[in-house]
């Protein structure tokens, strides 16, 4: 082989950027019988297959090694590890030693790729790939030369589908490697497999998933498998590529396969190196006799074998009965990981694959784990997380109801009639503020109508005004456990960010503090208006709601009565009269309240020109239901604790007005009875003989029922109209006082309460629907649902320090307001299965729609429309470092009070449950502890006031599950603390209820919490949204709180130093 020395010398002096690799190496050769000469330090430069050896970086090349027909091996000595270049020509071996072990490995890879033999193998491998692609595209190229008519007749290329059971994954397989080769013998591999798919129609390589990292073995057994959901476009012709990587530093590597372009391999500088790859067709795996493939792993050039990889077809139900002893020894140093992770569009499970549930849930992410039990059996755990469309549907429905309610209230205020100047100015001011608030609701609803994209609100958006009604990160977390010897079990937890008004902030606290402060100011501060208690205000809203609901019903039943009279139908007339009587009695009963009487008097005194002729006679405010004082001049009106009695006002007039309704109804009933009686007489006489002239006259007199009933119906409607007018005006006057006493704080508090309630209600509706679908075949649960109600337990993880204390106050009020929500199950009449919300503030009814087949499974009481009650309870335990500060130097009274109050509510529900339900309703596999004992233990833990007592959370969750309740877990954003709590709860359930092997508890917990298994995100990214977060310490001072929490003394020192720094800064 000829070489030009000048050209080689010129090439060796090229700039550093022209070389593939360069650096210092110690060079030594063999002399005689395996004797090494003294190593010489040389500056080495690699260009193509030429290795230049130089005395120093600036000198000329003293020697050139041609990497032709040679191979790279490792050589171990007492001093270290070297690279050995062996030549087929018989030339002496060349030993190269780098300064460090990683540098030595990188040189070994570079020299191996530079070898001409390796380049030749790589070219051959690429040629084979090109030929395979040409063969697959040959049919497409032939189609280009066919006539158009023949081309149309061929249609689209047809692919062979994989036949599997409906709603089951199309393809599942597990992976394992054997005899993996390393560059150095003492190198322990940390390997994972990346799975890519080549679609036959597109010929594009798409990265699909990856396994977990198995550490410290050359024969890794991956507990992570690959699953293709039913809707995934995979066929027998599809090719799957398996690429094995070695992770050098796991602490600095998170398998970010999805963030890299599909056509590029991960770079070596991200902490991993390429070992080998293999490709197979799906048909080869599916139709293999053993349903197993053993593939050879080859390097990128296709020449060198680096091990084998086993692909085993997996069918659901396998391995459950198998023993685990044969893999236990192999996995002692391996962390358990998920067997499946995929994003699917199907329902959460085969049983739940129903249109009604699919209308609520979106984008489920499925994972499958296999863990050993204490008796060396396998149990399968399917973990699923799904978004819900209710995150936006429920708030939009609520805002729409708020708008209608506020518009109706504003109109009622305008219909109060003429008022004195003082009251009229007050009304104008209230209406102006209400119109501004109404416009805000309308703008929010319009913005939500424009929303597209994800069906949940991420934590990055919690401060956006347009999304303040939307709950944060509302998801369903479901764990389906299949044990070898136990019945399958489902465990559902709804995870959501704490319902709170983040946009409005927490500078002045949350709702609990703000409402208490506002009510105290209304009581203790003089206002130029009348004070009505919150109970009386709520009663006024209820009366107005009853009026708006009952008046149209009474009118419609009265019209049906006249219609039956015109048709002379006795049976229809009786039924119409019965319905009219029932609704009218409810209508009359609604006004038998002292509040209406006192409000009418207050409204009378507010009319213009009204002069009191007698001094005010004070009455008991508890009897009157309100307070007012009227003086000669409106501007001198001051608040008092009683209603004045006006000498010219006849208090008995109201009694006569609403009593006229009852009298009109009685007259109507008497007339109907008389008409029916005469009709019976006429029928009897017609059956006997021809009627006489006198009898005919009597029959003719009672012949036209419509003409005789019409005046009475009109009288009833007139009397009812007068009652409605007066009652509406009086109750609207009460609402005017409520709004006028606290403008604009009253409206802002209403807005804040609406925001928090909207977030809480969206989660509650989601939890109820999921629980209803899960318990459709559980008759005990259905009986409990309509007899007692549904327990809803919220687990709060908020601290009582700084802003989170305000969030906790908002959350406590929002969850308490859920007690006023009732559910009703109806049969769906269309394909739209989303829930329907009706009602008003403080009284909502959620109508859940079910398909006809599912609706038939319900008890008769629920099918008849019985309202189902909710019993929400909240238990909070702060667990972060801020809670440590609150416990050491702050106040935890808020948390203690909330836990104590909700413990009483839980005891009330348990008492009601034991009184109305038989004891055999509880799930049999959870009968380990007595519920009464659990409640007593919960009571003791709450009274103990122990710091960060997480036992409260575990006891409350256990009681909830035993009482067939719905579980919620909440923190600030439903991310870190929530995920830690949920995964701990899941593993604890597996250990206590399903015999998880004790040695695998921590491994199972690590597996469920692994960021790697939850997707390929950058470490600085938001797990839910991918938006960037600041990589800054949480503390602004020099000492991290996490370190100082080790000792309370260090914490005190840190606080003193921080205070000193602040004082020095501002001086």
């Amino acid at each position: 082989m000829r070489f030009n020395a000048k050209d080689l010398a010129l090439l060796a002096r090229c700039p550093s950027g022209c070389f593939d690799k360069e650096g210092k190496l110690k060079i030594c050769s063999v002399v005689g019988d395996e004797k090494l000469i003294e190593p010489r330090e040389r500056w080495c430069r690699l260009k193509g297959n030429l290795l230049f050896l130089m005395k120093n970086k600036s000198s000329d090349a003293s020697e050139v090694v041609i990497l032709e027909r040679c191979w790279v091996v490792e050589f171990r000595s007492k001093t270290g590890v070297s690279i050995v270049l062996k030549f087929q020509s018989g030339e002496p071996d060349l030993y190269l030693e780098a300064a460090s072990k990683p540098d030595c490995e990188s040189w070994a890879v570079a020299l191996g790729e530079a070898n001409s033999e390796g380049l030749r193998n790589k070219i051959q491998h690429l040629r084979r790939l090109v030929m395979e692609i040409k063969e697959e595209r040959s049919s497409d190229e032939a189609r280009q030369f066919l006539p158009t008519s023949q081309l149309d007749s061929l249609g689209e290329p047809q692919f062979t589908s994989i036949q599997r059971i409906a709603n089951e994954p199309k393809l599942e397989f597990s992976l394992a490697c054997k005899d993996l080769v390393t560059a150095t013998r003492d190198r322990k591999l940390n390997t994972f497999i990346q799975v890519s798919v080549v679609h036959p129609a597109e010929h594009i390589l798409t990265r699909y998933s990856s396994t977990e990292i198995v550490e410290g073995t050359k024969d890794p057994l991956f507990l992570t498998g690959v699953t293709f959901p039913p809707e995934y476009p995979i066929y027998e012709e599809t090719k799957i590529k398996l690429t094995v990587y070695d992770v050098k530093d796991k602490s600095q590597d998170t398998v970010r396969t999805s963030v890299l372009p599909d056509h590029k391999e991960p770079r070596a500088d991200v902490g991993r190196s390429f070992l080998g790859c293999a490709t197979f067709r799906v048909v080869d795996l599916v139709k293999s006799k053993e349903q197993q493939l053993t593939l050879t792993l080859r390097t990128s050039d296709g020449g060198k074998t680096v091990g084998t990889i086993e692909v085993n077809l997996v069918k659901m139900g396998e391995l459950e009965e198998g023993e685990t002893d044969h893999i236990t020894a192999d996995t002692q140093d391996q962390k358990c990981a998920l067997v499946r992770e995929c994003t699917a569009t199907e329902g959460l499970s085969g049983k739940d694959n129903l249109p009604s549930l699919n209308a609520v849930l979106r984008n489920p992410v499925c994972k499958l784990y296999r863990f050993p039990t204490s008796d060396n059996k396998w149990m399968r755990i399917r973990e699923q997380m799904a978004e819900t469309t209710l995150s936006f549907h429920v708030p939009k429905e609520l805002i729409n109801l708020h708008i209608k309610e506020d518009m109706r209230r504003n109109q009622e205020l305008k219909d109060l009639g003429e008022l004195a100047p003082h009251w009229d100015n007050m009304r104008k001011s209230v209406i102006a503020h209400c119109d501004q608030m109404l416009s805000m609701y309308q703008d929010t609803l319009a913005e939500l109508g424009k929303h597209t994209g994800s069906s949940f609100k991420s934590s990055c958006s919690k401060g956006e005004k347009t999304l303040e009604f939307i709950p944060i990160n509302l998801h369903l977390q479901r764990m389906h456990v299949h044990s070898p010897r136990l019945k399958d079990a489902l465990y559902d937890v709804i995870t959501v960010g704490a319902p709170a008004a983040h946009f409005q902030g927490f500078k002045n606290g949350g709702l609990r503090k703000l409402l208490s402060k506002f009510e105290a100011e209304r009581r203790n501060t003089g206002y130029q208006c009348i004070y009505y208690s919150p109970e009386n205000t709520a009663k006024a809203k209820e009366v107005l709601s009853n009026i708006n609901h009952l008046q149209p019903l009474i009118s419609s039943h009265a019209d049906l009565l006249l219609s039956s009279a015109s048709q002379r139908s006795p049976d229809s007339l009786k039924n119409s009269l019965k319905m009219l009587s029932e609704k009218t009695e409810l209508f009359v009963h609604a006004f038998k309240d002292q509040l209406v009487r006192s409000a009418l008097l207050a409204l009378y005194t507010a009319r213009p020109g009204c002069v009191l002729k007698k001094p005010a006679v004070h009455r008991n405010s508890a009897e009157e239901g309100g307070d007012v004082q009227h003086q000669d001049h409106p501007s001198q009106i001051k608040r008092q604790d009683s209603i004045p009695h006006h000498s010219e006002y006849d208090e008995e007039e109201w009694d006569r007005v609403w009593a006229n309704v009852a009298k009109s109804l009685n007259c109507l009933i008497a007339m109907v009875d008389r008409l029916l009686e005469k009709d019976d007489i006429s029928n009897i006489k017609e059956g006997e003989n021809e009627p006489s002239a006198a009898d005919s006259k009597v029959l003719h007199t009672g012949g036209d029922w419509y003409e005789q009933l019409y005046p009475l119906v009109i009288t009833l409607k007139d009397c009812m109209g007068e009652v409605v007018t007066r009652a509406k005006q009086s109750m609207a006057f009460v609402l005017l006082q409520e709004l006028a006493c606290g403008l604009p704080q009253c409206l802002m508090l209403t807005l804040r309460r609406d925001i928090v309630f909207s977030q809480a209600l969206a989660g509650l509706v989601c939890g109820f629907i999921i629980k209803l679908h899960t318990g459709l075949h559980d008759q005990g649960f259905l009986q409990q649902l309509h007899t007692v109600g549904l327990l809803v337990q919220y687990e709060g993880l908020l601290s009582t320090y700084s802003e989170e204390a305000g969030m906790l106050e908002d959350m406590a009020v929002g969850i308490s307001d859920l007690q006023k929500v009732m559910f009703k199950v109806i049969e769906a009449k269309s394909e739209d299965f989303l829930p329907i919300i009706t009602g008003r503030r403080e009284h909502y009814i959620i109508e859940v729609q079910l398909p006809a087949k599912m609706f038939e499974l319900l008890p008769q009481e629920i099918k008849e429309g019985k309202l189902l009650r909710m019993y929400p309870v909240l238990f909070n335990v702060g667990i972060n470092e801020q809670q440590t500060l609150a416990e050491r130097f702050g106040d935890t009274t808020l948390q203690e009070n909330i836990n104590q109050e909700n413990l009483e509510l839980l005891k009330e529900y348990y008492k009601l449950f034991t009184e109305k339900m038989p004891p055999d309703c509880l799930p049999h596999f959870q009968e380990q502890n007595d519920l009464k004992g659990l409640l007593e233990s919960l009571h003791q833990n709450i009274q103990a006031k122990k710091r960060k007592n997480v036992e409260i959370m575990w006891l409350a969750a256990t009681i909830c599950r035993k009482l067939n309740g719905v579980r919620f877990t909440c923190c600030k954003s439903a991310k870190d603390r929530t995920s830690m709590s949920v995964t701990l709860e899941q593993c604890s359930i597996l250990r206590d209820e399903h015999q998880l092997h004790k040695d695998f508890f921590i491994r199972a917990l690590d597996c469920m919490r692994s960021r790697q298994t939850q997707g390929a995100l950058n470490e600085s990214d938001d797990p839910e949204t991918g938006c960037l977060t600041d990589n800054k310490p949480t503390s602004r001072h020099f000492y991290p709180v996490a370190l100082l929490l080790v000792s309370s003394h260090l914490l005190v020192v840190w606080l003193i130093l921080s205070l000193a720094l602040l004082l020095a800064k501002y001086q």
Side-chain angles (χ1 to χ4, degrees):
M1 185 178 294
R2 290 185 175 183
F3 297 98
N4 191 317
K6 293 183 179 180
D7 291 342
L8 289 177
L10 182 62
L11 181 61
R13 289 195 295 269
C14 288
S16 298
C18 298
F19 295 96
D20 299 330
K21 189 172 182 62
E22 62 178 331
K24 287 184 179 181
L25 291 175
K26 291 183 178 180
I27 311 297
C28 56
S29 303
V30 177
V31 177
D33 188 14
E34 298 293 331
K35 293 182 180 179
L36 300 178
I37 65 173
E38 188 68 22
R40 308 181 306 276
E41 188 177 88
R42 292 289 184 265
W43 184 263
C44 300
R45 286 181 169 180
L46 180 64
K47 179 67 174 178
N49 64 340
L50 300 177
L51 179 63
F52 297 96
L53 306 181
M54 309 162 65
K55 291 184 178 180
N56 53 61
K57 190 174 182 180
S58 57
S59 64
D60 294 335
S62 59
E63 190 176 354
V64 178
V65 180
I66 303 174
L67 303 177
E68 181 70 22
R69 295 186 180 183
C70 65
W71 62 94
V72 181
V73 296
E74 64 179 67
F75 174 78
R76 294 170 178 253
S77 63
K78 296 181 180 180
T79 58
V81 179
S82 304
I83 304 170
V84 183
L85 291 178
K86 292 184 174 291
F87 299 90
Q88 294 181 2
S89 61
E91 296 183 12
D93 298 341
L94 187 64
Y95 289 79
L96 309 176
E97 184 177 345
S100 63
K101 186 176 179 180
D103 196 17
C104 185
E105 293 178 356
S106 64
W107 270 104
V109 173
L111 293 173
E113 293 178 352
N115 183 6
S116 61
E117 190 67 23
L119 293 175
R120 187 178 296 108
N121 293 334
K122 191 171 185 179
I123 292 173
Q124 293 177 355
H125 177 66
L126 293 175
R127 285 177 178 173
R128 287 196 300 268
L129 291 179
V130 170
M131 292 301 295
E132 290 177 1
I133 295 175
K134 285 184 177 181
E135 291 176 0
E136 293 174 354
R137 292 186 177 179
S138 59
S139 59
D140 296 336
E141 294 174 355
R143 289 161 60 93
Q144 299 177 3
F145 300 96
L146 292 176
T148 306
S149 58
Q150 297 183 24
L151 186 61
D152 295 337
S153 64
L154 291 177
E156 294 296 328
Q158 299 296 321
F159 302 108
T160 307
S161 300
I162 301 175
Q163 301 298 327
R164 295 302 296 268
I165 302 174
N167 296 322
E168 288 292 324
K170 284 187 176 180
L171 179 67
E172 290 183 308
F173 56 85
S174 60
L175 300 169
C177 293
K178 288 186 178 181
D179 302 325
L180 295 181
V181 177
T182 59
T184 56
R185 293 181 181 177
D186 61 346
R187 171 81 168 91
K188 290 186 177 181
L189 293 174
N190 303 323
T191 54
F192 75 93
I193 300 178
Q194 177 183 293
V195 181
S196 303
V197 178
V198 181
H199 296 280
E202 301 175 354
H203 303 287
I204 298 176
L205 187 67
T206 304
R207 295 186 181 178
Y208 183 73
S209 65
S210 61
T211 67
E212 81 279 13
I213 298 176
V214 178
E215 301 180 24
T217 177
K218 296 181 180 181
D219 301 317
L221 174 65
F222 297 98
L223 298 180
T224 304
V226 182
T227 300
F228 294 90
E231 285 75 13
Y232 193 87
I234 186 171
Y235 308 95
E236 291 185 356
E237 294 81 4
T238 303
K239 288 187 176 182
I240 297 178
K241 180 181 179 182
L242 307 175
T243 309
V244 183
Y245 292 98
D246 174 26
V247 179
K248 297 179 180 179
D249 187 359
K250 186 180 177 183
S251 62
Q252 298 180 0
D253 184 81
T254 302
V255 182
R256 305 185 183 95
T257 56
S258 64
V259 299
L260 294 172
D262 289 340
H263 62 280
K264 292 185 179 180
E265 298 292 343
R267 303 187 312 272
D269 58 0
V270 299
R272 75 192 71 172
S273 61
F274 172 83
L275 288 182
C277 63
T279 305
F280 70 93
R281 293 194 306 167
V282 172
V283 65
D284 297 334
L285 176 63
V286 174
K287 296 186 177 181
S288 61
K289 292 183 179 181
E290 302 295 333
Q291 294 189 332
Q292 175 181 337
L293 295 178
T294 301
L295 308 175
T296 302
L297 284 173
R298 297 185 180 275
T299 55
S300 57
D301 56 14
K304 187 177 180 181
T305 300
V306 294
T308 59
I309 182 168
E310 293 183 356
V311 184
N312 291 278
L313 187 66
V314 175
K315 295 181 180 179
M316 288 300 187
E318 291 184 351
L319 295 179
E320 273 71 12
E321 300 299 330
E323 299 291 336
T324 62
D325 295 340
H326 66 286
I327 70 165
T328 303
D330 296 334
T331 59
Q332 289 298 322
D333 297 328
Q334 301 179 17
K335 293 187 177 180
C336 287
L338 58 95
V339 178
R340 173 171 84 147
E341 178 175 5
C342 66
T343 301
T345 58
E346 74 273 22
L348 286 185
S349 68
K351 296 179 181 179
D352 293 333
N353 191 13
L354 300 169
S356 57
L357 198 58
N358 292 339
V360 174
L361 300 175
R362 287 285 186 272
N363 303 326
V365 177
C366 307
K367 302 177 183 179
L368 191 66
Y369 308 87
R370 284 188 177 94
F371 299 126
T373 60
S374 57
D375 55 353
N376 289 330
K377 300 290 184 181
W378 284 104
M379 65 175 168
R380 186 177 70 242
I381 301 94
R382 178 176 285 111
E383 187 184 37
Q384 299 149 332
M385 182 178 70
E387 306 168 13
T388 172
T389 56
L390 300 176
S391 294
F392 282 83
H393 173 75
V394 171
K396 288 193 288 187
E397 290 289 308
L398 269 183
I399 296 174
N400 192 33
L401 289 177
H402 294 333
I403 292 174
K404 293 179 179 179
E405 181 181 351
D406 291 348
M407 292 178 66
R408 188 166 54 248
R409 177 198 59 196
N410 292 355
Q411 186 61 42
E412 290 166 352
L413 292 177
K414 295 175 183 178
D415 294 341
L416 275 176
E418 190 177 3
L419 298 175
H422 166 72
W423 300 108
D424 191 52
N425 293 334
M426 180 185 297
R427 175 173 59 177
K428 292 179 180 179
S429 176
V430 168
I431 292 177
H433 282 85
C434 289
D435 286 340
Q436 293 179 2
M437 194 62 61
L438 181 62
S439 177
M440 185 184 303
Y441 281 104
Q442 291 172 337
D443 293 342
T444 301
L445 183 61
E447 290 298 325
L448 290 179
K450 301 176 184 178
H451 177 81
T452 57
S454 176
S455 57
F456 74 99
K457 183 176 79 172
S458 64
S459 57
C460 292
S461 304
K462 63 176 172 283
E464 293 186 16
K465 179 174 176 55
T466 56
L467 299 177
E468 56 185 346
F469 284 85
I470 311 300
I472 302 172
N473 283 335
L474 176 59
H475 287 84
L476 165 67
Q477 182 80 13
R478 166 169 289 184
M479 183 175 69
H480 180 194
V481 183
H482 175 80
S483 299
R485 299 179 182 177
L486 297 176
K487 184 179 179 181
D488 285 14
L490 282 178
Y491 301 92
D492 292 337
V493 178
I494 308 297
T495 59
V496 63
H502 292 275
F503 177 77
Q504 297 189 18
F506 308 95
K507 182 178 180 180
N508 298 317
L511 275 174
R512 191 178 173 104
K513 180 185 294 184
L514 293 174
L515 290 173
S516 177
K517 181 180 179 181
F518 176 73
E519 188 60 29
E521 290 177 351
R522 287 185 63 199
R523 286 179 176 275
N524 301 326
T525 306
Y527 292 94
Q528 294 185 353
C529 60
I530 305 170
Y531 171 78
Y532 288 96
S533 65
E535 294 77 13
N536 285 330
T537 302
K539 182 65 178 178
K541 295 178 181 178
E542 182 180 355
V543 170
L544 286 173
S545 177
N546 290 335
I547 292 173
N548 295 326
H549 175 67
L550 293 174
Q551 184 183 14
L553 290 178
I554 295 175
S555 298
S556 63
H557 288 307
D559 294 338
L560 288 176
L561 182 70
L562 292 177
S563 177
S564 301
S566 63
Q567 299 174 5
R568 294 184 64 88
S569 174
D571 294 337
S572 178
L573 190 66
K574 291 179 183 179
N575 293 333
S576 300
L577 180 63
K578 181 182 178 181
M579 297 300 297
L580 179 63
S581 300
E582 292 176 356
K583 299 303 178 183
T584 306
E585 288 176 3
L586 291 176
F587 181 81
V588 173
H589 181 74
F591 302 110
K592 289 184 178 180
D593 194 281
Q594 190 67 24
L595 176 63
V596 180
R597 189 191 306 273
S598 61
L600 282 170
L601 174 58
L603 178 60
Y604 181 82
T605 59
R607 299 295 185 188
C610 177
V611 178
L612 291 178
K613 295 186 177 180
K614 291 185 178 181
V617 179
H618 296 275
R619 298 189 178 187
N620 192 324
S621 60
E623 297 177 356
E624 295 295 332
D627 312 316
V628 69
Q629 176 176 348
H630 181 78
Q631 295 185 2
D632 293 341
H633 198 279
S635 62
Q636 298 176 353
I637 295 178
K638 294 183 179 179
R639 174 185 169 280
Q640 291 239 344
D641 293 333
S642 63
I643 297 289
H645 174 73
H646 196 281
S647 59
E648 295 182 352
Y649 179 72
D650 186 2
E651 294 186 0
E652 297 181 357
E653 181 181 2
W654 168 245
D655 296 334
R656 290 193 296 270
V657 169
W658 67 262
N660 286 339
V661 177
K663 293 178 181 178
S664 300
L665 177 64
N666 292 333
C667 292
L668 192 59
I669 294 173
M671 177 58 69
V672 170
D673 291 340
R674 187 159 56 251
L675 292 176
L676 294 176
E677 182 181 355
K678 290 180 180 179
D679 185 67
D680 293 339
I681 294 174
S682 65
N683 292 335
I684 294 174
K685 290 187 176 182
E686 286 178 0
E688 294 176 354
N689 298 310
E690 290 293 329
S692 62
D695 293 336
S696 299
K697 184 176 181 180
V698 173
L699 292 175
H700 178 73
T701 304
D704 195 346
W705 292 1
Y706 181 86
E707 293 181 358
Q708 298 190 45
L709 292 179
Y710 181 76
L712 298 178
V713 171
I714 294 300
T715 302
L716 176 63
K717 288 185 176 181
D718 291 342
C719 294
M720 185 179 63
E722 185 176 359
V723 170
V724 167
T725 300
R726 295 195 181 198
K728 271 191 172 183
Q729 290 182 346
S730 63
M731 296 298 97
F733 188 74
V734 173
L735 299 184
L736 175 64
Q737 309 309 311
E738 178 201 24
L739 296 171
C741 285
L743 284 179
Q745 293 87 351
C746 180
L747 292 177
M748 294 306 298
L749 283 177
T750 301
L751 173 63
R752 188 183 190 102
R753 198 164 189 170
D754 288 344
I755 291 171
V756 175
F757 179 77
S758 172
Q759 298 178 23
L761 183 63
L764 176 63
V765 175
C766 177
F768 178 86
I769 293 177
I770 298 301
K771 188 67 178 179
L772 181 63
H773 280 77
T774 305
L776 269 178
H777 299 277
D778 186 351
Q779 295 302 318
F781 166 73
L782 295 176
Q783 181 184 354
Q784 174 188 351
L785 187 61
H786 70 79
T787 304
V788 185
L790 183 64
L791 178 66
V792 185
Q793 186 253 328
Y794 288 81
E795 175 182 305
L797 303 172
L798 295 172
S799 69
T800 55
Y801 181 81
S802 187
E803 287 190 348
E804 289 197 10
M807 298 177 199
L808 181 57
E809 292 178 352
D810 276 358
M811 182 179 177
V813 174
I815 292 175
S816 177
D817 287 345
L818 294 178
Q819 299 178 25
K820 304 168 185 176
V821 177
M822 309 285 280
F823 280 81
K824 181 180 179 181
V825 184
I826 62 175
E827 183 178 352
K829 303 301 181 183
S830 65
E831 297 299 323
D832 184 7
F833 298 103
L834 290 175
I836 302 171
I837 305 178
T838 58
R840 57 176 176 83
R841 289 182 179 91
E842 301 178 357
H843 183 72
Y844 288 103
I845 297 177
I846 315 298
E847 296 181 354
V848 178
Q849 304 185 79
L850 290 181
K853 292 182 179 180
M854 299 176 64
F855 188 76
E856 290 301 321
L857 300 174
L858 298 174
Q860 190 62 32
E861 293 85 353
I862 298 180
K863 289 195 287 187
E864 291 176 355
K866 184 175 182 179
L867 296 180
L868 311 175
R869 291 198 59 187
M870 300 293 109
Y871 293 86
V873 293
L874 165 65
F875 294 95
N876 186 85
V877 175
I879 59 174
N880 61 354
E881 68 277 3
Q882 291 186 341
Q883 183 63 22
T884 302
L885 295 176
E887 290 172 344
R888 295 282 186 180
F889 309 105
D891 185 13
T892 60
T893 306
L894 173 64
Q895 176 176 285
E896 295 167 1
N897 292 340
I898 289 175
N899 291 343
Q900 185 62 45
E901 294 168 4
N902 286 272
L903 175 63
E904 299 304 320
L905 295 176
L906 183 59
K907 288 182 177 179
E908 291 178 10
Y909 180 83
Y910 172 71
K911 181 180 179 181
L912 191 64
F913 180 88
T914 54
E915 291 174 353
K916 295 187 177 183
M917 295 295 296
D920 57 352
C921 288
L922 298 179
H924 296 291
F925 66 91
Q926 292 183 346
E927 292 295 340
Q928 301 179 27
N929 301 306
D930 179 56
L931 266 173
K932 190 174 182 180
L934 290 173
L935 280 169
E936 182 61 30
S937 179
L938 179 61
H939 174 78
Q940 294 174 359
N941 277 275
I942 291 177
Q943 293 296 326
K945 299 181 180 180
K946 179 181 176 182
R947 294 175 180 174
K948 295 186 179 181
N949 190 0
V950 294
E951 188 70 16
I952 294 175
M953 300 287 94
W954 173 246
L955 289 170
T958 304
I959 293 172
C960 175
R961 286 194 299 271
K962 289 181 176 293
L963 290 175
N964 293 321
V966 179
R967 285 269 298 111
F968 283 79
T969 300
C970 311
C971 66
K972 181 178 180 180
S973 301
K975 293 193 300 185
D976 299 333
R977 280 172 280 180
T978 296
S979 61
M980 298 291 281
S981 174
V982 170
T983 50
L984 177 60
E985 179 182 356
Q986 290 180 166
C987 290
S988 299
I989 291 173
L990 295 178
R991 177 193 60 195
D992 299 337
E993 308 291 349
H994 299 277
Q995 303 175 359
L996 173 67
H997 198 288
K998 60 180 182 179
D999 295 337
F1000 279 78
F1001 180 84
I1002 299 299
R1003 298 181 182 180
L1005 191 61
D1006 290 341
C1007 169
M1008 291 183 177
R1009 290 178 174 177
S1010 174
R1011 277 191 66 135
Q1012 172 195 337
T1013 61
Q1014 295 176 6
L1017 296 175
N1018 293 328
E1019 295 177 0
S1020 61
D1021 289 352
D1022 189 310
E1024 279 82 15
T1025 64
C1027 62
L1028 295 179
T1029 55
D1030 294 334
N1031 294 321
K1032 297 179 180 180
T1034 55
S1035 174
R1036 291 187 177 185
H1037 305 300
F1038 300 107
Y1039 312 98
V1041 176
L1043 176 64
L1044 297 173
L1045 292 180
V1046 176
S1047 169
S1048 59
H1049 302 290
L1050 288 177
L1051 185 60
V1052 173
V1053 172
W1054 171 71
L1055 291 174
I1056 295 174
L1057 292 176
S1058 300
L1059 181 61
L1061 289 173
L1062 290 175
L1063 292 175
K1065 177 180 179 180
Y1066 290 104
Q1067 285 179 353

